[in-house]
Structures are given as structure tokens and as C-alpha cells.
Amino acid sequence: MKKNIVAMIMLLIIGLGLMSVVGEMPTFGERRFFSEEEMYDRYLQQGPEETGSINIVSAIITDYRAFDTLGETTVLFATVAAIYGTLLAAINKDGDD
Amino acid sequence: MKFEDDIVNTVTRIILPFITLFGLYLIIHVHLSPGGGFSGGTVVGAGFVLFSLSFGISIQEKKLSHRTSALLESYGGLWYVLLGFVALFYGYNFLTNDPVFGLGQSGSLFSSGLVILVNIGLGVKVASTIITLFDSLGGEEL
């Protein structure tokens, strides 16, 4: 019972913190910083010309921010390499015994 | 891991070509419509997962062996890096699109140089990642 009350209070504090962050978030279409404004306009107005891609989302993730996507791909590769290596090691051990 | 169920097997047999075709469509039309390498590759991989769930991993192994999917997984990432290095030979930055790869007519299927090439590699990589993960966690012998 005591534990539950402590947990409830902790949850309330964490929830209040999160809600205050949500309240600070910009609403849809609102622009706050000058640099952001410049960037959005650049993407929307010159994106199709500069990348040849009508789909602006894929233009951003694989052209303007292709290096970021390369990191994402590396994460996928590392995941598979780790799981594959662990499982292969376990199976090889079973085979030896 | 296999369902001995006629309904699942029949529905899989009917629906699998459409799932795979839709995944390939998402990958190829990356610069024209919503989608891309990640989502299209996930759809193709999910089709293979459905196939191995209904017919067994050993049958799926005959279509796409474990070694092949692991190799595809590695070469998808290498293909991305190689495309980035192409720009260096022309004197531009890593992963440059515009002057190195021809952009083509905006709106046609064969356009937008780097975007579509990178996304084909990404699609292959994500699909084989899902297949490799499912096969190795499936509990059968590798």
C-alpha cells in the first residue's frame, strides 16, 4: 500500500514534467526560430529542383540528410551482426558438446 | 515453427504475391509517392515472415537461403557507402546528389539519381534484416 502511494506520487511528478514539456511544444504550422523558417522554405521550394524527387520526405532523408540515414543503416547492421554472432556462438557450442 | 492450418496456408498462397509486389512498389516509387526503403523493405520482409510462418522456415530456406539473406544484409550497407564514395571521385562531398548522378525529368520513374539508388539498397537491406532476424530467432538450425 505504501509502495503504491509512493509510486503514484512519483508518476504524478513525472507526468507533470512531461506535460510541461508538451505544453511548450510548437503547435501545427507555428514557426519559432529564424533558422528553422529558412530551412523549411528551402526544402519546400527548392527540394524538387535540387533533388529531382517529388516526395519531399524521401528527398530529405536520403539526399539532404543522407549521412544521418547511413548511421541508421549502420545501427541496423550492428543489431543483426550482434544477434547473429551471439546465436551462432551458442549453436556452435551446442554442436561441440 | 509452422501452422498446420489450411486456411492460413491458402490465404498466404493468394496474398503473398500482392504483399511482395506492394513492397517493391513502395521501394521503387520512393521519389514519387509516400514510402521508401525502410517501409517497403519492411513490407517485403513481412511477406517472407508470413511465408515462413505458414510453410515453415525450411521451405523458405529453399527460396532464400540464410547465407544469401545475411550476405544481402551486408552488401546493402556497402552499396550505400559505395554510392557515397562515387561523389568523391568527381570532386564533390560525400553522398552528393545533383551534379554526380543525373536528376532526369522530375516526376518520371527513372529520375532523382541518388535518392532512388540509395533507397533500393536500403530496401534490400531492411528486408533481409527482418528475414535474417526472424530466421535466426526462429529456433531452427542455421
Side-chain angles (χ1 to χ4, degrees):
Chain A
M1 193 64 199
K2 219 175 201 176
K3 261 186 192 170
N4 284 350
I5 292 171
V6 173
M8 287 288 283
I9 293 170
M10 288 293 286
L11 271 180
L12 273 178
I13 292 171
I14 294 172
L16 275 178
L18 289 177
M19 288 307 284
S20 67
V21 173
V22 170
E24 287 293 312
M25 278 168 68
T27 54
F28 184 73
E30 185 192 345
R31 292 170 165 190
R32 301 194 135 187
F33 309 109
F34 178 68
S35 59
E36 245 177 36
E37 193 171 334
E38 210 174 67
M39 203 171 66
Y40 294 159
D41 287 345
R42 169 74 181 264
Y43 284 162
L44 289 178
Q45 287 166 4
Q46 296 179 24
E49 280 172 36
E50 285 181 345
T51 66
S53 161
I54 296 175
N55 183 1
I56 197 66
V57 175
S58 56
I60 290 173
I61 67 169
T62 53
D63 190 330
Y64 288 116
R65 300 180 182 181
F67 201 67
D68 177 65
T69 313
L70 180 60
E72 220 169 306
T73 319
T74 317
V75 170
L76 273 180
F77 177 75
T79 314
V80 169
I83 291 179
Y84 200 59
T86 316
L87 285 177
L88 262 180
I91 285 171
N92 285 343
K93 211 181 207 175
D94 287 349
D96 288 343
D97 289 339
Chain B
M1 191 190 291
K2 182 181 175 185
F3 287 128
E4 295 286 351
D5 189 28
D6 287 340
I7 298 175
V8 173
N9 284 0
T10 311
V11 169
T12 302
R13 208 171 281 148
I14 293 170
I15 213 173
L16 190 61
F18 297 102
I19 294 178
T20 312
L21 191 67
F22 180 63
L24 293 178
Y25 160 78
L26 281 182
I27 296 173
I28 296 294
H29 283 69
V30 53
H31 51 300
L32 300 176
S33 59
F38 285 103
S39 38
T42 313
V43 172
V44 174
F48 271 93
V49 168
L50 178 66
F51 182 74
S52 44
L53 271 178
S54 50
F55 294 101
I57 289 182
S58 48
I59 306 288
Q60 189 238 308
E61 195 92 335
K62 286 176 190 161
K63 303 281 179 197
L64 182 71
S65 74
H66 206 83
R67 186 174 164 74
T68 314
S69 66
L71 281 179
L72 280 178
E73 211 277 327
S74 312
Y75 283 107
L78 262 183
W79 167 249
Y80 199 132
V81 179
L82 280 179
L83 281 176
F85 275 120
V86 167
L88 291 186
F89 290 108
Y90 288 89
Y92 293 99
N93 288 332
F94 189 64
L95 286 167
T96 307
N97 187 2
D98 189 7
V100 181
F101 301 93
L103 288 189
Q105 177 70 36
S106 182
S108 65
L109 181 58
F110 296 102
S111 63
S112 80
L114 182 73
V115 175
I116 186 165
L117 289 175
V118 155
N119 268 281
I120 289 171
L122 270 182
V124 168
K125 185 178 170 53
V126 173
S128 50
T129 298
I130 289 181
I131 296 166
T132 313
L133 279 184
F134 183 78
D135 285 1
S136 38
L137 296 176
E140 292 191 16
E141 289 284 314
L142 295 178

PDB file of all heavy atoms in Angstrom, chain B residues 69-94:
ATOM      1  N   SER B  69      20.577 -14.232 -47.432  1.00  0.00           N
ATOM      2  CA  SER B  69      19.982 -13.058 -46.794  1.00  0.00           C
ATOM      3  C   SER B  69      20.997 -12.343 -45.917  1.00  0.00           C
ATOM      4  O   SER B  69      21.001 -11.105 -45.854  1.00  0.00           O
ATOM      5  CB  SER B  69      18.744 -13.450 -45.995  1.00  0.00           C
ATOM      6  OG  SER B  69      19.078 -14.253 -44.914  1.00  0.00           O
ATOM      7  N   ALA B  70      21.902 -13.109 -45.285  1.00  0.00           N
ATOM      8  CA  ALA B  70      22.938 -12.444 -44.481  1.00  0.00           C
ATOM      9  C   ALA B  70      23.882 -11.653 -45.380  1.00  0.00           C
ATOM     10  O   ALA B  70      24.289 -10.535 -45.040  1.00  0.00           O
ATOM     11  CB  ALA B  70      23.713 -13.481 -43.676  1.00  0.00           C
ATOM     12  N   LEU B  71      24.214 -12.217 -46.565  1.00  0.00           N
ATOM     13  CA  LEU B  71      25.093 -11.501 -47.490  1.00  0.00           C
ATOM     14  C   LEU B  71      24.414 -10.242 -48.016  1.00  0.00           C
ATOM     15  O   LEU B  71      25.033  -9.177 -48.097  1.00  0.00           O
ATOM     16  CB  LEU B  71      25.485 -12.407 -48.655  1.00  0.00           C
ATOM     17  CG  LEU B  71      26.597 -13.413 -48.371  1.00  0.00           C
ATOM     18  CD1 LEU B  71      26.867 -14.243 -49.600  1.00  0.00           C
ATOM     19  CD2 LEU B  71      27.861 -12.688 -47.957  1.00  0.00           C
ATOM     20  N   LEU B  72      23.111 -10.364 -48.392  1.00  0.00           N
ATOM     21  CA  LEU B  72      22.364  -9.200 -48.882  1.00  0.00           C
ATOM     22  C   LEU B  72      22.331  -8.107 -47.831  1.00  0.00           C
ATOM     23  O   LEU B  72      22.437  -6.918 -48.137  1.00  0.00           O
ATOM     24  CB  LEU B  72      20.940  -9.607 -49.239  1.00  0.00           C
ATOM     25  CG  LEU B  72      20.700 -10.289 -50.568  1.00  0.00           C
ATOM     26  CD1 LEU B  72      19.239 -10.655 -50.692  1.00  0.00           C
ATOM     27  CD2 LEU B  72      21.090  -9.372 -51.694  1.00  0.00           C
ATOM     28  N   GLU B  73      22.184  -8.527 -46.573  1.00  0.00           N
ATOM     29  CA  GLU B  73      22.127  -7.588 -45.465  1.00  0.00           C
ATOM     30  C   GLU B  73      23.419  -6.778 -45.401  1.00  0.00           C
ATOM     31  O   GLU B  73      23.400  -5.575 -45.213  1.00  0.00           O
ATOM     32  CB  GLU B  73      21.908  -8.381 -44.178  1.00  0.00           C
ATOM     33  CG  GLU B  73      21.131  -7.667 -43.124  1.00  0.00           C
ATOM     34  CD  GLU B  73      21.998  -6.772 -42.326  1.00  0.00           C
ATOM     35  OE1 GLU B  73      23.155  -7.142 -42.158  1.00  0.00           O
ATOM     36  OE2 GLU B  73      21.528  -5.724 -41.891  1.00  0.00           O
ATOM     37  N   SER B  74      24.563  -7.463 -45.596  1.00  0.00           N
ATOM     38  CA  SER B  74      25.832  -6.745 -45.513  1.00  0.00           C
ATOM     39  C   SER B  74      26.057  -5.875 -46.744  1.00  0.00           C
ATOM     40  O   SER B  74      26.503  -4.731 -46.628  1.00  0.00           O
ATOM     41  CB  SER B  74      26.977  -7.748 -45.388  1.00  0.00           C
ATOM     42  OG  SER B  74      26.684  -8.703 -44.415  1.00  0.00           O
ATOM     43  N   TYR B  75      25.744  -6.420 -47.943  1.00  0.00           N
ATOM     44  CA  TYR B  75      26.042  -5.667 -49.159  1.00  0.00           C
ATOM     45  C   TYR B  75      25.096  -4.503 -49.371  1.00  0.00           C
ATOM     46  O   TYR B  75      25.445  -3.563 -50.088  1.00  0.00           O
ATOM     47  CB  TYR B  75      26.055  -6.600 -50.370  1.00  0.00           C
ATOM     48  CG  TYR B  75      27.315  -7.403 -50.455  1.00  0.00           C
ATOM     49  CD1 TYR B  75      27.336  -8.755 -50.174  1.00  0.00           C
ATOM     50  CD2 TYR B  75      28.510  -6.785 -50.791  1.00  0.00           C
ATOM     51  CE1 TYR B  75      28.504  -9.487 -50.217  1.00  0.00           C
ATOM     52  CE2 TYR B  75      29.681  -7.500 -50.838  1.00  0.00           C
ATOM     53  CZ  TYR B  75      29.672  -8.850 -50.562  1.00  0.00           C
ATOM     54  OH  TYR B  75      30.837  -9.553 -50.595  1.00  0.00           O
ATOM     55  N   GLY B  76      23.911  -4.515 -48.758  1.00  0.00           N
ATOM     56  CA  GLY B  76      23.039  -3.347 -48.820  1.00  0.00           C
ATOM     57  C   GLY B  76      23.700  -2.129 -48.189  1.00  0.00           C
ATOM     58  O   GLY B  76      23.652  -1.028 -48.740  1.00  0.00           O
ATOM     59  N   GLY B  77      24.353  -2.335 -47.044  1.00  0.00           N
ATOM     60  CA  GLY B  77      25.056  -1.236 -46.399  1.00  0.00           C
ATOM     61  C   GLY B  77      26.271  -0.798 -47.198  1.00  0.00           C
ATOM     62  O   GLY B  77      26.541   0.392 -47.336  1.00  0.00           O
ATOM     63  N   LEU B  78      27.006  -1.779 -47.759  1.00  0.00           N
ATOM     64  CA  LEU B  78      28.187  -1.442 -48.554  1.00  0.00           C
ATOM     65  C   LEU B  78      27.815  -0.641 -49.794  1.00  0.00           C
ATOM     66  O   LEU B  78      28.525   0.285 -50.186  1.00  0.00           O
ATOM     67  CB  LEU B  78      28.898  -2.723 -49.003  1.00  0.00           C
ATOM     68  CG  LEU B  78      30.078  -3.177 -48.178  1.00  0.00           C
ATOM     69  CD1 LEU B  78      30.699  -4.391 -48.808  1.00  0.00           C
ATOM     70  CD2 LEU B  78      31.110  -2.073 -48.105  1.00  0.00           C
ATOM     71  N   TRP B  79      26.686  -0.994 -50.415  1.00  0.00           N
ATOM     72  CA  TRP B  79      26.199  -0.303 -51.608  1.00  0.00           C
ATOM     73  C   TRP B  79      25.942   1.169 -51.300  1.00  0.00           C
ATOM     74  O   TRP B  79      26.301   2.048 -52.088  1.00  0.00           O
ATOM     75  CB  TRP B  79      24.924  -1.018 -52.061  1.00  0.00           C
ATOM     76  CG  TRP B  79      24.071  -0.343 -53.081  1.00  0.00           C
ATOM     77  CD1 TRP B  79      22.841   0.175 -52.879  1.00  0.00           C
ATOM     78  CD2 TRP B  79      24.362  -0.157 -54.462  1.00  0.00           C
ATOM     79  NE1 TRP B  79      22.351   0.692 -54.052  1.00  0.00           N
ATOM     80  CE2 TRP B  79      23.266   0.493 -55.040  1.00  0.00           C
ATOM     81  CE3 TRP B  79      25.462  -0.473 -55.266  1.00  0.00           C
ATOM     82  CZ2 TRP B  79      23.220   0.842 -56.379  1.00  0.00           C
ATOM     83  CZ3 TRP B  79      25.408  -0.133 -56.598  1.00  0.00           C
ATOM     84  CH2 TRP B  79      24.299   0.507 -57.136  1.00  0.00           C
ATOM     85  N   TYR B  80      25.385   1.435 -50.134  1.00  0.00           N
ATOM     86  CA  TYR B  80      25.141   2.811 -49.689  1.00  0.00           C
ATOM     87  C   TYR B  80      26.466   3.578 -49.616  1.00  0.00           C
ATOM     88  O   TYR B  80      26.621   4.673 -50.160  1.00  0.00           O
ATOM     89  CB  TYR B  80      24.470   2.760 -48.315  1.00  0.00           C
ATOM     90  CG  TYR B  80      23.749   4.007 -47.893  1.00  0.00           C
ATOM     91  CD1 TYR B  80      22.464   3.930 -47.379  1.00  0.00           C
ATOM     92  CD2 TYR B  80      24.346   5.234 -47.978  1.00  0.00           C
ATOM     93  CE1 TYR B  80      21.793   5.054 -46.987  1.00  0.00           C
ATOM     94  CE2 TYR B  80      23.691   6.365 -47.582  1.00  0.00           C
ATOM     95  CZ  TYR B  80      22.418   6.269 -47.088  1.00  0.00           C
ATOM     96  OH  TYR B  80      21.755   7.370 -46.693  1.00  0.00           O
ATOM     97  N   VAL B  81      27.462   2.971 -48.943  1.00  0.00           N
ATOM     98  CA  VAL B  81      28.750   3.652 -48.760  1.00  0.00           C
ATOM     99  C   VAL B  81      29.443   3.861 -50.108  1.00  0.00           C
ATOM    100  O   VAL B  81      30.017   4.924 -50.368  1.00  0.00           O
ATOM    101  CB  VAL B  81      29.640   2.844 -47.799  1.00  0.00           C
ATOM    102  CG1 VAL B  81      30.974   3.514 -47.627  1.00  0.00           C
ATOM    103  CG2 VAL B  81      28.968   2.697 -46.460  1.00  0.00           C
ATOM    104  N   LEU B  82      29.354   2.857 -50.998  1.00  0.00           N
ATOM    105  CA  LEU B  82      29.981   2.982 -52.313  1.00  0.00           C
ATOM    106  C   LEU B  82      29.360   4.123 -53.098  1.00  0.00           C
ATOM    107  O   LEU B  82      30.071   4.893 -53.753  1.00  0.00           O
ATOM    108  CB  LEU B  82      29.829   1.675 -53.087  1.00  0.00           C
ATOM    109  CG  LEU B  82      30.814   0.572 -52.720  1.00  0.00           C
ATOM    110  CD1 LEU B  82      30.544  -0.663 -53.546  1.00  0.00           C
ATOM    111  CD2 LEU B  82      32.233   1.059 -52.953  1.00  0.00           C
ATOM    112  N   LEU B  83      28.024   4.251 -53.038  1.00  0.00           N
ATOM    113  CA  LEU B  83      27.350   5.370 -53.713  1.00  0.00           C
ATOM    114  C   LEU B  83      27.830   6.699 -53.168  1.00  0.00           C
ATOM    115  O   LEU B  83      27.956   7.676 -53.904  1.00  0.00           O
ATOM    116  CB  LEU B  83      25.840   5.265 -53.525  1.00  0.00           C
ATOM    117  CG  LEU B  83      25.117   4.273 -54.408  1.00  0.00           C
ATOM    118  CD1 LEU B  83      23.662   4.222 -54.014  1.00  0.00           C
ATOM    119  CD2 LEU B  83      25.233   4.684 -55.846  1.00  0.00           C
ATOM    120  N   GLY B  84      28.122   6.732 -51.856  1.00  0.00           N
ATOM    121  CA  GLY B  84      28.655   7.962 -51.279  1.00  0.00           C
ATOM    122  C   GLY B  84      30.035   8.265 -51.820  1.00  0.00           C
ATOM    123  O   GLY B  84      30.355   9.413 -52.116  1.00  0.00           O
ATOM    124  N   PHE B  85      30.849   7.226 -52.011  1.00  0.00           N
ATOM    125  CA  PHE B  85      32.228   7.453 -52.463  1.00  0.00           C
ATOM    126  C   PHE B  85      32.310   7.832 -53.930  1.00  0.00           C
ATOM    127  O   PHE B  85      33.325   8.381 -54.354  1.00  0.00           O
ATOM    128  CB  PHE B  85      33.079   6.205 -52.206  1.00  0.00           C
ATOM    129  CG  PHE B  85      33.632   6.156 -50.828  1.00  0.00           C
ATOM    130  CD1 PHE B  85      33.330   5.113 -49.976  1.00  0.00           C
ATOM    131  CD2 PHE B  85      34.470   7.167 -50.377  1.00  0.00           C
ATOM    132  CE1 PHE B  85      33.834   5.081 -48.691  1.00  0.00           C
ATOM    133  CE2 PHE B  85      34.980   7.139 -49.105  1.00  0.00           C
ATOM    134  CZ  PHE B  85      34.665   6.098 -48.257  1.00  0.00           C
ATOM    135  N   VAL B  86      31.248   7.519 -54.717  1.00  0.00           N
ATOM    136  CA  VAL B  86      31.270   7.895 -56.131  1.00  0.00           C
ATOM    137  C   VAL B  86      31.472   9.396 -56.273  1.00  0.00           C
ATOM    138  O   VAL B  86      32.230   9.864 -57.123  1.00  0.00           O
ATOM    139  CB  VAL B  86      29.962   7.441 -56.816  1.00  0.00           C
ATOM    140  CG1 VAL B  86      29.827   8.089 -58.175  1.00  0.00           C
ATOM    141  CG2 VAL B  86      29.943   5.941 -56.965  1.00  0.00           C
ATOM    142  N   ALA B  87      30.812  10.178 -55.393  1.00  0.00           N
ATOM    143  CA  ALA B  87      30.893  11.632 -55.493  1.00  0.00           C
ATOM    144  C   ALA B  87      32.311  12.126 -55.231  1.00  0.00           C
ATOM    145  O   ALA B  87      32.724  13.150 -55.781  1.00  0.00           O
ATOM    146  CB  ALA B  87      29.922  12.278 -54.513  1.00  0.00           C
ATOM    147  N   LEU B  88      33.070  11.407 -54.399  1.00  0.00           N
ATOM    148  CA  LEU B  88      34.426  11.856 -54.079  1.00  0.00           C
ATOM    149  C   LEU B  88      35.305  11.861 -55.321  1.00  0.00           C
ATOM    150  O   LEU B  88      36.157  12.724 -55.489  1.00  0.00           O
ATOM    151  CB  LEU B  88      35.042  10.950 -53.007  1.00  0.00           C
ATOM    152  CG  LEU B  88      34.450  11.040 -51.617  1.00  0.00           C
ATOM    153  CD1 LEU B  88      35.267  10.205 -50.656  1.00  0.00           C
ATOM    154  CD2 LEU B  88      34.409  12.464 -51.130  1.00  0.00           C
ATOM    155  N   PHE B  89      35.085  10.885 -56.243  1.00  0.00           N
ATOM    156  CA  PHE B  89      35.921  10.813 -57.440  1.00  0.00           C
ATOM    157  C   PHE B  89      35.651  11.967 -58.384  1.00  0.00           C
ATOM    158  O   PHE B  89      36.493  12.307 -59.203  1.00  0.00           O
ATOM    159  CB  PHE B  89      35.700   9.479 -58.158  1.00  0.00           C
ATOM    160  CG  PHE B  89      36.260   8.322 -57.410  1.00  0.00           C
ATOM    161  CD1 PHE B  89      35.429   7.417 -56.780  1.00  0.00           C
ATOM    162  CD2 PHE B  89      37.628   8.137 -57.316  1.00  0.00           C
ATOM    163  CE1 PHE B  89      35.941   6.350 -56.072  1.00  0.00           C
ATOM    164  CE2 PHE B  89      38.158   7.085 -56.604  1.00  0.00           C
ATOM    165  CZ  PHE B  89      37.314   6.192 -55.986  1.00  0.00           C
ATOM    166  N   TYR B  90      34.463  12.564 -58.294  1.00  0.00           N
ATOM    167  CA  TYR B  90      34.145  13.720 -59.129  1.00  0.00           C
ATOM    168  C   TYR B  90      34.502  15.028 -58.437  1.00  0.00           C
ATOM    169  O   TYR B  90      34.240  16.093 -58.974  1.00  0.00           O
ATOM    170  CB  TYR B  90      32.659  13.713 -59.496  1.00  0.00           C
ATOM    171  CG  TYR B  90      32.293  12.646 -60.492  1.00  0.00           C
ATOM    172  CD1 TYR B  90      31.917  11.388 -60.070  1.00  0.00           C
ATOM    173  CD2 TYR B  90      32.333  12.912 -61.862  1.00  0.00           C
ATOM    174  CE1 TYR B  90      31.599  10.404 -60.981  1.00  0.00           C
ATOM    175  CE2 TYR B  90      32.012  11.935 -62.775  1.00  0.00           C
ATOM    176  CZ  TYR B  90      31.650  10.684 -62.332  1.00  0.00           C
ATOM    177  OH  TYR B  90      31.340   9.716 -63.238  1.00  0.00           O
ATOM    178  N   GLY B  91      35.026  14.957 -57.225  1.00  0.00           N
ATOM    179  CA  GLY B  91      35.451  16.163 -56.538  1.00  0.00           C
ATOM    180  C   GLY B  91      34.373  16.844 -55.730  1.00  0.00           C
ATOM    181  O   GLY B  91      34.469  18.037 -55.449  1.00  0.00           O
ATOM    182  N   TYR B  92      33.327  16.111 -55.356  1.00  0.00           N
ATOM    183  CA  TYR B  92      32.274  16.701 -54.527  1.00  0.00           C
ATOM    184  C   TYR B  92      32.304  16.068 -53.150  1.00  0.00           C
ATOM    185  O   TYR B  92      33.097  15.176 -52.879  1.00  0.00           O
ATOM    186  CB  TYR B  92      30.902  16.501 -55.176  1.00  0.00           C
ATOM    187  CG  TYR B  92      30.728  17.256 -56.453  1.00  0.00           C
ATOM    188  CD1 TYR B  92      30.901  16.627 -57.671  1.00  0.00           C
ATOM    189  CD2 TYR B  92      30.412  18.600 -56.442  1.00  0.00           C
ATOM    190  CE1 TYR B  92      30.766  17.317 -58.860  1.00  0.00           C
ATOM    191  CE2 TYR B  92      30.274  19.301 -57.613  1.00  0.00           C
ATOM    192  CZ  TYR B  92      30.448  18.656 -58.822  1.00  0.00           C
ATOM    193  OH  TYR B  92      30.315  19.354 -59.975  1.00  0.00           O
ATOM    194  N   ASN B  93      31.383  16.518 -52.276  1.00  0.00           N
ATOM    195  CA  ASN B  93      31.332  15.963 -50.931  1.00  0.00           C
ATOM    196  C   ASN B  93      30.774  14.551 -50.946  1.00  0.00           C
ATOM    197  O   ASN B  93      30.162  14.120 -51.922  1.00  0.00           O
ATOM    198  CB  ASN B  93      30.444  16.827 -50.032  1.00  0.00           C
ATOM    199  CG  ASN B  93      31.105  18.145 -49.707  1.00  0.00           C
ATOM    200  OD1 ASN B  93      32.326  18.218 -49.694  1.00  0.00           O
ATOM    201  ND2 ASN B  93      30.306  19.157 -49.477  1.00  0.00           N
ATOM    202  N   PHE B  94      30.972  13.858 -49.816  1.00  0.00           N
ATOM    203  CA  PHE B  94      30.421  12.508 -49.626  1.00  0.00           C
ATOM    204  C   PHE B  94      28.900  12.546 -49.769  1.00  0.00           C
ATOM    205  O   PHE B  94      28.249  13.423 -49.205  1.00  0.00           O
ATOM    206  CB  PHE B  94      30.825  12.031 -48.231  1.00  0.00           C
ATOM    207  CG  PHE B  94      30.526  10.600 -47.949  1.00  0.00           C
ATOM    208  CD1 PHE B  94      31.133   9.592 -48.659  1.00  0.00           C
ATOM    209  CD2 PHE B  94      29.640  10.264 -46.945  1.00  0.00           C
ATOM    210  CE1 PHE B  94      30.874   8.277 -48.380  1.00  0.00           C
ATOM    211  CE2 PHE B  94      29.371   8.947 -46.654  1.00  0.00           C
ATOM    212  CZ  PHE B  94      29.991   7.948 -47.383  1.00  0.00           C
TER     213      PHE B  94
END
